[in-house]
Amino acid sequence: MDAQKEALQRIISTLANKNDEIQNFIDTLNHTLKGVQANSSNVIAELDEEFDGLYSILDEMKESMTNSIKQEQAHKTQELQNQLSQCSNALENSEELLEYAARSLDVKDPEEFSKAARQIKDRVTMASAFRISLKPKVSDNMTHLMVDFSQERQMLQALKFLPVPKAPEIDTAECLVADNTVTIAWRMPEEDKKIDHFALEYRKTNFDGLPRVKDERCWELIDYIKGTEYTLSGLKFDSKYMNFRVRACNKAVAGEYSDPITLETKALVFNLDGTSSHLNLKVEDSYVEWDPTGGKSQENKIKGKENKGSGQITVLKNNTSGTPSPKRTSVTRSPLIRGSRDRFTGESYTVLGDTTIESGQHYWEVRAQKDCKSYSMGVAYKNMGKFDQLGKTNTSWCIHVNNWLQTTFSAKHNNKAKALDMPVPDRIGVYCDFDGGQLTFYNASSKQLLYTFKTKFTQPLLPGFMVWCGGLTVSTGLQVPSAVKTLQKSENGLSGSSSSLTNITQ
């Protein structure tokens, strides 16, 4: 019966996954269908615009060339009309002179005849008929303004859609995810010398397999990549996976996207739990700061609630002078302020992460303010008491920095301390191997080993932090650095812990 039930549950799970996969594919098809409609309308509009541009150029050229012909026509017409007018006047004068000469032949008086002959001779010498050119200044030929668009017509008839680059192929074997960087490599299915650059797109997701259309973040673009490989660095891995796709672009158009790939980018992501932190701590998502007035302000808020019941609360702040000693500062926790667990109180200036560690290897980093007087970082079980301090119980492990009066650097567990003879780094990396029972601290910049606890974790862990007179910034979403992995392999079987701090928890 139990075996059949388990088998049926597996079938149900398989069917549910398949249904989810098919639904995602249906969403993809619908999204693609809408894209086809929208993109078709866009390219038709662009085609109309391009042809309108051609028509406009042709109309302008036709108008310009027509004007040239008309100007040539007007020029020749004017020249010929001027020449025609001159010839007509010369002909008229010549005919008049001819008629006068003919009459002069009938003159009988020798003296008058001689006088007329001299006048005719002078007039002939000056006559325009003998000075004008009888050759047309311009011809009627207009062939120099004829056109032959056969070549251009062939070019227009050869118009076609732009050559689109083929889709690249992402080489998954050459892709690498390490140290919060992702390297994507790809190749073209065949050589294309017209490719100008590539465009890479990526987005974060919590779904394995093919990219989803619904409930996903927008694609982010990295354009104008000249090579066939690109590395994204400085990423925060706050999602389980990342989708990647790439396409080639020539000078005019971008080609099809490659088949997308999904790479795992899982890392521990947590915020600081302000609901259970000490009242003297001001907590944001990844930052905690000592606030000496915090407890008093919270008490005044509670009193305001108790006195007025509801409505506006007057918050009073007490001015403090100097820096109070941690052993003299305490607040009384009100039962009205509580989250999923009791707030830390007394001298436990503690804040925990909001995400449990129950398996696997994880890494995060902590940076303290330069003037921070005292702080700790490590891990603790969820049942850590509200008065407990990190490293002073058998349910918490940490390294502690004390800059009060003189600087001390130590590893703490079960109220035992191991002094660390090395400078305190500006940034400390915390590596937790739950299954391997190991908590190791590193100089986050140089990856120098600071200290290692080896134990057996029997309950879920929470990242833990203590701060007094200063602030801490926590960086999460980090992969275990490659250098740390290498150090872990080389130091397997070795521990920086002394026997007094090595503890097998029960």
Side-chain angles (χ1 to χ4, degrees):
M1 182 68 179
D2 290 341
Q4 290 179 334
K5 189 173 182 179
E6 288 181 5
L8 183 58
Q9 287 176 338
R10 286 195 296 270
I11 292 173
I12 291 172
S13 177
T14 301
L15 287 174
N17 291 335
K18 178 55 69 175
N19 290 348
D20 184 62
E21 184 179 343
I22 294 174
Q23 182 60 56
N24 178 49
F25 185 61
I26 290 173
D27 293 338
T28 301
L29 291 176
N30 286 327
H31 180 75
T32 305
L33 184 60
K34 290 180 181 178
V36 167
Q37 303 300 327
N39 293 334
S40 297
S41 299
N42 290 337
V43 294
I44 288 175
E46 291 180 2
L47 183 67
D48 288 340
E49 185 177 346
E50 288 294 327
F51 269 94
D52 288 343
L54 285 178
Y55 299 151
S56 177
I57 292 174
L58 289 173
D59 288 340
E60 290 176 3
M61 290 299 299
K62 180 181 178 181
E63 183 178 1
S64 175
M65 297 176 82
T66 300
N67 288 336
S68 297
I69 294 173
K70 289 181 178 180
Q71 289 174 3
E72 183 73 357
Q73 177 189 8
H75 168 69
K76 287 191 173 186
T77 299
Q78 185 65 43
E79 289 290 340
L80 291 173
Q81 285 180 344
N82 290 340
Q83 202 170 11
L84 180 62
S85 177
Q86 291 174 359
C87 288
S88 296
N89 291 333
L91 179 61
E92 183 179 351
N93 293 333
S94 180
E95 287 177 345
E96 182 183 350
L97 181 61
L98 177 61
E99 184 180 352
Y100 176 71
R103 287 197 308 269
S104 298
L105 291 175
D106 296 332
V107 175
K108 302 299 182 179
D109 184 5
E111 185 176 346
E112 288 185 3
F113 180 81
S114 177
K115 181 180 178 180
R118 285 196 301 272
Q119 289 178 347
I120 292 171
K121 180 180 179 181
D122 291 340
R123 290 179 63 182
V124 168
T125 303
M126 300 298 296
S128 58
F130 293 96
R131 290 185 291 110
I132 63 173
S133 171
L134 298 181
K135 179 181 179 181
K137 287 186 177 181
V138 294
S139 72
D140 62 352
N141 182 31
M142 299 289 280
T143 56
H144 63 289
L145 295 176
M146 294 181 66
V147 296
D148 178 9
F149 290 148
S150 56
Q151 266 190 322
E152 288 78 2
R153 191 177 295 109
Q154 288 178 359
M155 291 177 61
L156 289 172
Q157 290 172 343
L159 288 177
K160 59 182 65 176
F161 296 109
L162 289 170
V164 179
K166 293 188 176 181
E169 299 171 353
I170 297 181
D171 189 353
T172 54
E174 295 297 322
C175 295
L176 178 66
V177 180
D179 298 319
N180 285 80
T181 65
V182 179
T183 298
I184 303 297
W186 58 89
R187 57 177 175 266
M188 294 300 296
E190 58 186 48
E191 186 179 7
D192 186 348
K193 294 184 178 180
K194 294 183 178 181
I195 290 177
D196 179 68
H197 65 275
F198 295 92
L200 174 67
E201 294 188 357
Y202 69 95
R203 68 180 179 186
K204 297 178 180 181
T205 179
N206 286 315
F207 298 99
D208 194 4
L210 294 175
R212 296 175 176 248
V213 174
K214 292 184 176 180
D215 304 322
E216 286 287 8
R217 307 181 194 184
C218 295
W219 290 96
E220 297 189 52
L221 171 66
I222 301 173
D223 208 351
Y224 301 105
I225 302 172
K226 292 298 184 179
T228 56
E229 180 178 298
Y230 190 84
T231 298
L232 291 88
S233 59
L235 296 170
K236 180 176 181 179
F237 286 172
D238 51 2
S239 62
K240 293 180 181 178
Y241 305 96
M242 289 181 70
N243 301 140
F244 297 89
R245 64 185 185 185
V246 65
R247 61 178 175 176
C249 308
N250 55 31
K251 291 288 187 181
V253 68
E256 292 281 349
Y257 284 107
S258 65
D259 289 335
I261 65 166
T262 300
L263 299 179
E264 186 176 15
T265 56
K266 189 177 180 181
L268 178 66
V269 179
F270 64 86
N271 290 323
L272 300 178
D273 181 15
T275 63
S276 62
S277 64
H278 195 288
L279 289 174
N280 281 104
L281 298 181
K282 183 190 298 182
V283 177
E284 297 178 4
D285 290 343
S286 59
Y287 180 73
V288 55
E289 184 178 19
W290 162 261
D291 180 8
T293 66
K296 199 66 176 176
S297 297
Q298 293 291 348
E299 286 180 353
N300 288 331
K301 288 181 181 180
I302 302 308
K303 290 178 181 179
K305 286 184 178 180
E306 292 174 347
N307 293 335
K308 295 188 178 182
S310 61
Q312 186 175 357
I313 300 174
T314 303
V315 180
L316 302 177
K317 292 187 177 180
N318 293 337
N319 295 326
T320 59
S321 59
T323 304
S325 167
K327 294 187 177 295
R328 295 181 181 178
T329 303
S330 64
V331 294
T332 302
R333 181 190 59 81
S334 169
L336 294 178
I337 297 186
R338 57 188 301 155
S340 58
R341 53 159 291 150
D342 288 342
R343 278 189 179 273
F344 290 99
T345 189
E347 297 176 4
S348 181
Y349 303 106
T350 303
V351 60
L352 300 176
D354 62 1
T355 303
T356 58
I357 299 172
E358 300 183 19
S359 63
Q361 301 174 358
H362 308 280
Y363 180 83
W364 60 95
E365 294 180 355
V366 183
R367 182 190 293 273
Q369 290 180 346
K370 290 186 177 180
D371 57 350
C372 190
K373 293 293 189 293
S374 179
Y375 59 93
S376 301
M377 66 200 71
V379 296
Y381 288 155
K382 292 201 300 183
N383 62 358
M384 184 176 176
K386 63 182 180 180
F387 294 102
D388 293 342
Q389 300 178 39
L390 282 178
K392 290 192 175 183
T393 68
N394 64 353
T395 61
S396 61
W397 300 257
C398 73
I399 58 173
H400 174 71
V401 178
N402 181 18
N403 291 320
W404 182 252
L405 300 180
Q406 61 180 5
T407 299
T408 59
F409 189 24
S410 59
K412 289 186 174 183
H413 170 64
N414 202 18
N415 208 26
K416 296 178 181 178
K418 169 71 174 179
L420 304 180
D421 186 18
M422 60 188 71
V424 179
D426 292 334
R427 193 160 43 95
I428 296 177
V430 183
Y431 168 77
C432 178
D433 181 358
F434 185 93
D435 302 313
Q438 187 168 312
L439 179 68
T440 305
F441 300 88
Y442 292 92
N443 181 323
S445 299
S446 66
K447 299 303 181 288
Q448 175 194 7
L449 175 65
L450 303 177
Y451 193 81
T452 297
F453 290 104
K454 283 202 169 182
T455 184
K456 180 181 180 182
F457 299 121
T458 60
Q459 300 179 40
L461 296 169
L462 286 170
F465 309 88
M466 184 282 294
V467 61
W468 173 70
C469 291
L472 299 177
T473 299
V474 183
S475 299
T476 68
L478 303 176
Q479 283 188 306
V480 178
S482 300
V484 170
K485 290 181 180 180
T486 301
L487 286 169
Q488 287 298 317
K489 289 179 181 179
S490 64
E491 304 224 359
N492 190 21
L494 301 176
S495 174
S497 321
S498 67
S499 59
S500 63
L501 292 182
T502 303
N503 181 269
I504 306 297
T505 58
Q506 301 299 321

